[in-house]
Every structure is written in structure tokens, then in C-alpha cells.
Amino acid sequence: RVLVVAAIVSLAAADRICVFGTRGAGLHVRASACTTADIVATAPEGEAFDLLGTVMGCDRTVWVRVAQGYALQNYTQVCGGPAAGWNRFGVGLVTPGTTGQFDLVANMAGKEGWILLVFPGITRSTAAAPPDWVQAVSAAYARGLNVVVRLGPPWGQCVGRSAYLSSGSLSMPARSRLTRAHCGR
């Protein structure tokens, strides 16, 4: 019950919500906030809606109200602010970035635009995020950007793939071909 209350509080009318977590099945939009109501539309994974509100359904689940009808809240997530300012475009950085770069991204992508931050350098001994990664995420959020983080091994290395390939699960010729194709070695 605490999670349901948190879900209601975290959504605000005029937020932009996206279909999420349906495993490709899509989201059923129904005529009323009840699982027995007629399906009036099916939205594919990733489709976005303007949120009109949330309601408690006849089956004691939380439903989101969209223009087409009602959908289960647990298959949606906030993916932008009010529709007038929602932006699906963004910019990617392959370094933690600088103040000037974050300002440029915010100017180009606009409020609620997206930024992809690529943080290479993950090894088996990595125990925590370096301070510049934390600062980069905070700087992006401070400019009203939506943040996507991609973690990876050091540039030019395929630590995880190399460990898998050397585990004996593939023959030597197959390992060599895969390693050369993916890691440039």
C-alpha cells in the first residue's frame, strides 16, 4: 500500500508518461479504471501520453487517466514534464562533461530534453562511481535534463567479453573470430 501511495504522489497532471515494462505486449487502454472494462486502444512500448490524472480502480489498483481512457499505472513511467515542454531529443557525451557542455546540451535539447552520459572505465575492481560521474549527473539534472547513463569497460577493452570467451564455452577458432570482431584484437 505504501508503494501505491508513492506512485500516486510521484505523478502529476500534465506530466508526460510513457508505456514501460510490458515486455513488448503493449499497454491496454480501457474505457474505465477496471480490468474488466472494454479495451479501447493498445499502446506500444515507448508510446507517450499526456497524464490527465490518477484514480484508484475498481480492483484496488492505481490507474492513469489519459485522453483515450484509463491504463494501469504500473506499466507507465514519467518520461517528461508538461507536453508543451516535453522533448524526445537529446545529446550524448562520451566524457563526464564540462559546465559549458551541459549548458550547450540544455540549450539545444531544451527543458526535459535528454542527455546520454557514457562512463567508461568499469573493471572488476570498481567499487563506486568516481566523483566526476556523480557531478555530471547532478549537473544535468540541475539543467532540467532527463539523464541516461551507460556504463562500460575502459575504452578499447572488452574485459567482460574476453572473460566469457576464455571460459571454454566456445572453441578456440570461434573465440578468436568473436574477439577480433568485437574487440579489435
PDB file of all heavy atoms in Angstrom, residues 31-57:
ATOM      1  N   ALA A  31     -11.909   1.584 -21.183  1.00  0.00           N
ATOM      2  CA  ALA A  31     -12.949   2.605 -21.111  1.00  0.00           C
ATOM      3  C   ALA A  31     -13.124   3.156 -19.702  1.00  0.00           C
ATOM      4  O   ALA A  31     -13.518   4.308 -19.519  1.00  0.00           O
ATOM      5  CB  ALA A  31     -14.273   2.037 -21.621  1.00  0.00           C
ATOM      6  N   SER A  32     -12.841   2.340 -18.687  1.00  0.00           N
ATOM      7  CA  SER A  32     -12.921   2.806 -17.303  1.00  0.00           C
ATOM      8  C   SER A  32     -11.766   2.184 -16.520  1.00  0.00           C
ATOM      9  O   SER A  32     -11.068   1.315 -17.015  1.00  0.00           O
ATOM     10  CB  SER A  32     -14.268   2.432 -16.664  1.00  0.00           C
ATOM     11  OG  SER A  32     -14.358   1.025 -16.503  1.00  0.00           O
ATOM     12  N   ALA A  33     -11.598   2.638 -15.286  1.00  0.00           N
ATOM     13  CA  ALA A  33     -10.489   2.171 -14.452  1.00  0.00           C
ATOM     14  C   ALA A  33     -10.832   0.835 -13.815  1.00  0.00           C
ATOM     15  O   ALA A  33     -11.010   0.727 -12.605  1.00  0.00           O
ATOM     16  CB  ALA A  33     -10.151   3.216 -13.401  1.00  0.00           C
ATOM     17  N   CYS A  34     -10.914  -0.173 -14.654  1.00  0.00           N
ATOM     18  CA  CYS A  34     -11.254  -1.508 -14.182  1.00  0.00           C
ATOM     19  C   CYS A  34     -10.754  -2.519 -15.214  1.00  0.00           C
ATOM     20  O   CYS A  34     -10.917  -2.307 -16.419  1.00  0.00           O
ATOM     21  CB  CYS A  34     -12.770  -1.613 -14.023  1.00  0.00           C
ATOM     22  SG  CYS A  34     -13.289  -3.109 -13.188  1.00  0.00           S
ATOM     23  N   THR A  35     -10.156  -3.604 -14.746  1.00  0.00           N
ATOM     24  CA  THR A  35      -9.588  -4.584 -15.683  1.00  0.00           C
ATOM     25  C   THR A  35     -10.646  -5.313 -16.491  1.00  0.00           C
ATOM     26  O   THR A  35     -10.329  -5.970 -17.466  1.00  0.00           O
ATOM     27  CB  THR A  35      -8.715  -5.613 -14.941  1.00  0.00           C
ATOM     28  OG1 THR A  35      -9.497  -6.220 -13.907  1.00  0.00           O
ATOM     29  CG2 THR A  35      -7.477  -4.972 -14.382  1.00  0.00           C
ATOM     30  N   THR A  36     -11.925  -5.219 -16.107  1.00  0.00           N
ATOM     31  CA  THR A  36     -12.973  -5.871 -16.887  1.00  0.00           C
ATOM     32  C   THR A  36     -13.580  -4.932 -17.927  1.00  0.00           C
ATOM     33  O   THR A  36     -14.405  -5.362 -18.730  1.00  0.00           O
ATOM     34  CB  THR A  36     -14.094  -6.389 -15.954  1.00  0.00           C
ATOM     35  OG1 THR A  36     -14.640  -5.279 -15.237  1.00  0.00           O
ATOM     36  CG2 THR A  36     -13.561  -7.429 -14.994  1.00  0.00           C
ATOM     37  N   ALA A  37     -13.180  -3.673 -17.937  1.00  0.00           N
ATOM     38  CA  ALA A  37     -13.722  -2.710 -18.895  1.00  0.00           C
ATOM     39  C   ALA A  37     -13.204  -3.015 -20.299  1.00  0.00           C
ATOM     40  O   ALA A  37     -12.144  -3.613 -20.477  1.00  0.00           O
ATOM     41  CB  ALA A  37     -13.338  -1.288 -18.486  1.00  0.00           C
ATOM     42  N   ASP A  38     -13.952  -2.581 -21.285  1.00  0.00           N
ATOM     43  CA  ASP A  38     -13.570  -2.794 -22.681  1.00  0.00           C
ATOM     44  C   ASP A  38     -12.237  -2.119 -22.993  1.00  0.00           C
ATOM     45  O   ASP A  38     -11.966  -1.007 -22.530  1.00  0.00           O
ATOM     46  CB  ASP A  38     -14.636  -2.224 -23.621  1.00  0.00           C
ATOM     47  CG  ASP A  38     -15.919  -3.038 -23.594  1.00  0.00           C
ATOM     48  OD1 ASP A  38     -15.868  -4.215 -23.202  1.00  0.00           O
ATOM     49  OD2 ASP A  38     -16.965  -2.478 -23.964  1.00  0.00           O
ATOM     50  N   ILE A  39     -11.418  -2.795 -23.810  1.00  0.00           N
ATOM     51  CA  ILE A  39     -10.160  -2.209 -24.280  1.00  0.00           C
ATOM     52  C   ILE A  39     -10.509  -1.291 -25.451  1.00  0.00           C
ATOM     53  O   ILE A  39     -11.122  -1.717 -26.430  1.00  0.00           O
ATOM     54  CB  ILE A  39      -9.173  -3.309 -24.724  1.00  0.00           C
ATOM     55  CG1 ILE A  39      -8.798  -4.190 -23.523  1.00  0.00           C
ATOM     56  CG2 ILE A  39      -7.931  -2.694 -25.370  1.00  0.00           C
ATOM     57  CD1 ILE A  39      -8.000  -5.423 -23.881  1.00  0.00           C
ATOM     58  N   VAL A  40     -10.124  -0.020 -25.341  1.00  0.00           N
ATOM     59  CA  VAL A  40     -10.432   0.942 -26.402  1.00  0.00           C
ATOM     60  C   VAL A  40      -9.209   1.240 -27.270  1.00  0.00           C
ATOM     61  O   VAL A  40      -9.342   1.777 -28.361  1.00  0.00           O
ATOM     62  CB  VAL A  40     -11.015   2.253 -25.826  1.00  0.00           C
ATOM     63  CG1 VAL A  40     -12.364   1.981 -25.170  1.00  0.00           C
ATOM     64  CG2 VAL A  40     -10.064   2.891 -24.834  1.00  0.00           C
ATOM     65  N   ALA A  41      -8.017   0.905 -26.769  1.00  0.00           N
ATOM     66  CA  ALA A  41      -6.793   1.127 -27.540  1.00  0.00           C
ATOM     67  C   ALA A  41      -5.680   0.281 -26.932  1.00  0.00           C
ATOM     68  O   ALA A  41      -5.758  -0.124 -25.773  1.00  0.00           O
ATOM     69  CB  ALA A  41      -6.390   2.598 -27.521  1.00  0.00           C
ATOM     70  N   THR A  42      -4.658   0.015 -27.723  1.00  0.00           N
ATOM     71  CA  THR A  42      -3.452  -0.635 -27.220  1.00  0.00           C
ATOM     72  C   THR A  42      -2.275   0.222 -27.636  1.00  0.00           C
ATOM     73  O   THR A  42      -2.128   0.563 -28.813  1.00  0.00           O
ATOM     74  CB  THR A  42      -3.290  -2.060 -27.777  1.00  0.00           C
ATOM     75  OG1 THR A  42      -4.427  -2.837 -27.371  1.00  0.00           O
ATOM     76  CG2 THR A  42      -2.034  -2.722 -27.242  1.00  0.00           C
ATOM     77  N   ALA A  43      -1.461   0.614 -26.663  1.00  0.00           N
ATOM     78  CA  ALA A  43      -0.308   1.475 -26.926  1.00  0.00           C
ATOM     79  C   ALA A  43       0.960   0.637 -26.898  1.00  0.00           C
ATOM     80  O   ALA A  43       1.171  -0.132 -25.958  1.00  0.00           O
ATOM     81  CB  ALA A  43      -0.232   2.568 -25.870  1.00  0.00           C
ATOM     82  N   PRO A  44       1.829   0.777 -27.905  1.00  0.00           N
ATOM     83  CA  PRO A  44       3.075   0.006 -27.922  1.00  0.00           C
ATOM     84  C   PRO A  44       4.076   0.524 -26.890  1.00  0.00           C
ATOM     85  O   PRO A  44       3.974   1.657 -26.414  1.00  0.00           O
ATOM     86  CB  PRO A  44       3.600   0.222 -29.346  1.00  0.00           C
ATOM     87  CG  PRO A  44       3.024   1.528 -29.771  1.00  0.00           C
ATOM     88  CD  PRO A  44       1.688   1.629 -29.086  1.00  0.00           C
ATOM     89  N   GLU A  45       5.026  -0.324 -26.545  1.00  0.00           N
ATOM     90  CA  GLU A  45       6.107   0.045 -25.628  1.00  0.00           C
ATOM     91  C   GLU A  45       6.762   1.334 -26.116  1.00  0.00           C
ATOM     92  O   GLU A  45       7.058   1.488 -27.288  1.00  0.00           O
ATOM     93  CB  GLU A  45       7.140  -1.082 -25.592  1.00  0.00           C
ATOM     94  CG  GLU A  45       8.203  -0.935 -24.551  1.00  0.00           C
ATOM     95  CD  GLU A  45       7.835  -1.577 -23.228  1.00  0.00           C
ATOM     96  OE1 GLU A  45       6.910  -2.392 -23.164  1.00  0.00           O
ATOM     97  OE2 GLU A  45       8.504  -1.252 -22.245  1.00  0.00           O
ATOM     98  N   GLY A  46       6.930   2.299 -25.215  1.00  0.00           N
ATOM     99  CA  GLY A  46       7.585   3.557 -25.546  1.00  0.00           C
ATOM    100  C   GLY A  46       6.644   4.683 -25.936  1.00  0.00           C
ATOM    101  O   GLY A  46       7.033   5.840 -25.951  1.00  0.00           O
ATOM    102  N   GLU A  47       5.393   4.378 -26.281  1.00  0.00           N
ATOM    103  CA  GLU A  47       4.460   5.443 -26.666  1.00  0.00           C
ATOM    104  C   GLU A  47       4.226   6.383 -25.481  1.00  0.00           C
ATOM    105  O   GLU A  47       4.179   5.967 -24.336  1.00  0.00           O
ATOM    106  CB  GLU A  47       3.129   4.877 -27.150  1.00  0.00           C
ATOM    107  CG  GLU A  47       2.194   5.974 -27.654  1.00  0.00           C
ATOM    108  CD  GLU A  47       1.040   5.441 -28.466  1.00  0.00           C
ATOM    109  OE1 GLU A  47       1.221   4.456 -29.182  1.00  0.00           O
ATOM    110  OE2 GLU A  47      -0.039   6.034 -28.374  1.00  0.00           O
ATOM    111  N   ALA A  48       4.050   7.655 -25.771  1.00  0.00           N
ATOM    112  CA  ALA A  48       3.892   8.659 -24.724  1.00  0.00           C
ATOM    113  C   ALA A  48       2.482   9.240 -24.724  1.00  0.00           C
ATOM    114  O   ALA A  48       1.835   9.346 -25.766  1.00  0.00           O
ATOM    115  CB  ALA A  48       4.911   9.777 -24.925  1.00  0.00           C
ATOM    116  N   PHE A  49       2.022   9.608 -23.527  1.00  0.00           N
ATOM    117  CA  PHE A  49       0.707  10.212 -23.335  1.00  0.00           C
ATOM    118  C   PHE A  49       0.835  11.415 -22.412  1.00  0.00           C
ATOM    119  O   PHE A  49       1.731  11.470 -21.562  1.00  0.00           O
ATOM    120  CB  PHE A  49      -0.249   9.233 -22.629  1.00  0.00           C
ATOM    121  CG  PHE A  49      -0.547   7.984 -23.383  1.00  0.00           C
ATOM    122  CD1 PHE A  49       0.160   6.826 -23.125  1.00  0.00           C
ATOM    123  CD2 PHE A  49      -1.555   7.957 -24.326  1.00  0.00           C
ATOM    124  CE1 PHE A  49      -0.120   5.661 -23.797  1.00  0.00           C
ATOM    125  CE2 PHE A  49      -1.849   6.789 -25.005  1.00  0.00           C
ATOM    126  CZ  PHE A  49      -1.136   5.642 -24.738  1.00  0.00           C
ATOM    127  N   ASP A  50      -0.121  12.335 -22.506  1.00  0.00           N
ATOM    128  CA  ASP A  50      -0.246  13.386 -21.513  1.00  0.00           C
ATOM    129  C   ASP A  50      -1.063  12.813 -20.366  1.00  0.00           C
ATOM    130  O   ASP A  50      -2.157  12.270 -20.574  1.00  0.00           O
ATOM    131  CB  ASP A  50      -0.980  14.606 -22.083  1.00  0.00           C
ATOM    132  CG  ASP A  50      -0.193  15.275 -23.193  1.00  0.00           C
ATOM    133  OD1 ASP A  50       1.050  15.248 -23.136  1.00  0.00           O
ATOM    134  OD2 ASP A  50      -0.823  15.826 -24.107  1.00  0.00           O
ATOM    135  N   LEU A  51      -0.562  12.911 -19.151  1.00  0.00           N
ATOM    136  CA  LEU A  51      -1.262  12.404 -17.983  1.00  0.00           C
ATOM    137  C   LEU A  51      -2.341  13.397 -17.570  1.00  0.00           C
ATOM    138  O   LEU A  51      -2.063  14.577 -17.383  1.00  0.00           O
ATOM    139  CB  LEU A  51      -0.273  12.193 -16.830  1.00  0.00           C
ATOM    140  CG  LEU A  51      -0.877  11.715 -15.515  1.00  0.00           C
ATOM    141  CD1 LEU A  51      -1.402  10.291 -15.664  1.00  0.00           C
ATOM    142  CD2 LEU A  51       0.160  11.779 -14.411  1.00  0.00           C
ATOM    143  N   LEU A  52      -3.573  12.923 -17.430  1.00  0.00           N
ATOM    144  CA  LEU A  52      -4.678  13.787 -17.004  1.00  0.00           C
ATOM    145  C   LEU A  52      -4.991  13.608 -15.528  1.00  0.00           C
ATOM    146  O   LEU A  52      -5.698  14.419 -14.950  1.00  0.00           O
ATOM    147  CB  LEU A  52      -5.925  13.490 -17.849  1.00  0.00           C
ATOM    148  CG  LEU A  52      -5.741  13.680 -19.362  1.00  0.00           C
ATOM    149  CD1 LEU A  52      -7.019  13.296 -20.098  1.00  0.00           C
ATOM    150  CD2 LEU A  52      -5.333  15.103 -19.683  1.00  0.00           C
ATOM    151  N   GLY A  53      -4.487  12.545 -14.925  1.00  0.00           N
ATOM    152  CA  GLY A  53      -4.718  12.304 -13.506  1.00  0.00           C
ATOM    153  C   GLY A  53      -4.551  10.838 -13.168  1.00  0.00           C
ATOM    154  O   GLY A  53      -4.296  10.014 -14.044  1.00  0.00           O
ATOM    155  N   THR A  54      -4.692  10.518 -11.888  1.00  0.00           N
ATOM    156  CA  THR A  54      -4.634   9.131 -11.432  1.00  0.00           C
ATOM    157  C   THR A  54      -5.892   8.838 -10.628  1.00  0.00           C
ATOM    158  O   THR A  54      -6.470   9.730 -10.005  1.00  0.00           O
ATOM    159  CB  THR A  54      -3.392   8.862 -10.553  1.00  0.00           C
ATOM    160  OG1 THR A  54      -3.408   9.756  -9.450  1.00  0.00           O
ATOM    161  CG2 THR A  54      -2.111   9.040 -11.334  1.00  0.00           C
ATOM    162  N   VAL A  55      -6.330   7.581 -10.659  1.00  0.00           N
ATOM    163  CA  VAL A  55      -7.510   7.166  -9.903  1.00  0.00           C
ATOM    164  C   VAL A  55      -7.273   5.777  -9.340  1.00  0.00           C
ATOM    165  O   VAL A  55      -6.451   5.018  -9.850  1.00  0.00           O
ATOM    166  CB  VAL A  55      -8.789   7.150 -10.787  1.00  0.00           C
ATOM    167  CG1 VAL A  55      -9.136   8.534 -11.279  1.00  0.00           C
ATOM    168  CG2 VAL A  55      -8.659   6.182 -11.935  1.00  0.00           C
ATOM    169  N   MET A  56      -8.008   5.440  -8.289  1.00  0.00           N
ATOM    170  CA  MET A  56      -7.992   4.092  -7.743  1.00  0.00           C
ATOM    171  C   MET A  56      -9.066   3.317  -8.486  1.00  0.00           C
ATOM    172  O   MET A  56     -10.221   3.757  -8.568  1.00  0.00           O
ATOM    173  CB  MET A  56      -8.286   4.118  -6.241  1.00  0.00           C
ATOM    174  CG  MET A  56      -8.152   2.775  -5.567  1.00  0.00           C
ATOM    175  SD  MET A  56      -6.475   2.102  -5.565  1.00  0.00           S
ATOM    176  CE  MET A  56      -5.672   3.171  -4.414  1.00  0.00           C
ATOM    177  N   GLY A  57      -8.716   2.188  -9.076  1.00  0.00           N
ATOM    178  CA  GLY A  57      -9.647   1.416  -9.886  1.00  0.00           C
ATOM    179  C   GLY A  57     -10.548   0.521  -9.067  1.00  0.00           C
ATOM    180  O   GLY A  57     -10.372   0.362  -7.852  1.00  0.00           O
TER     181      GLY A  57
END
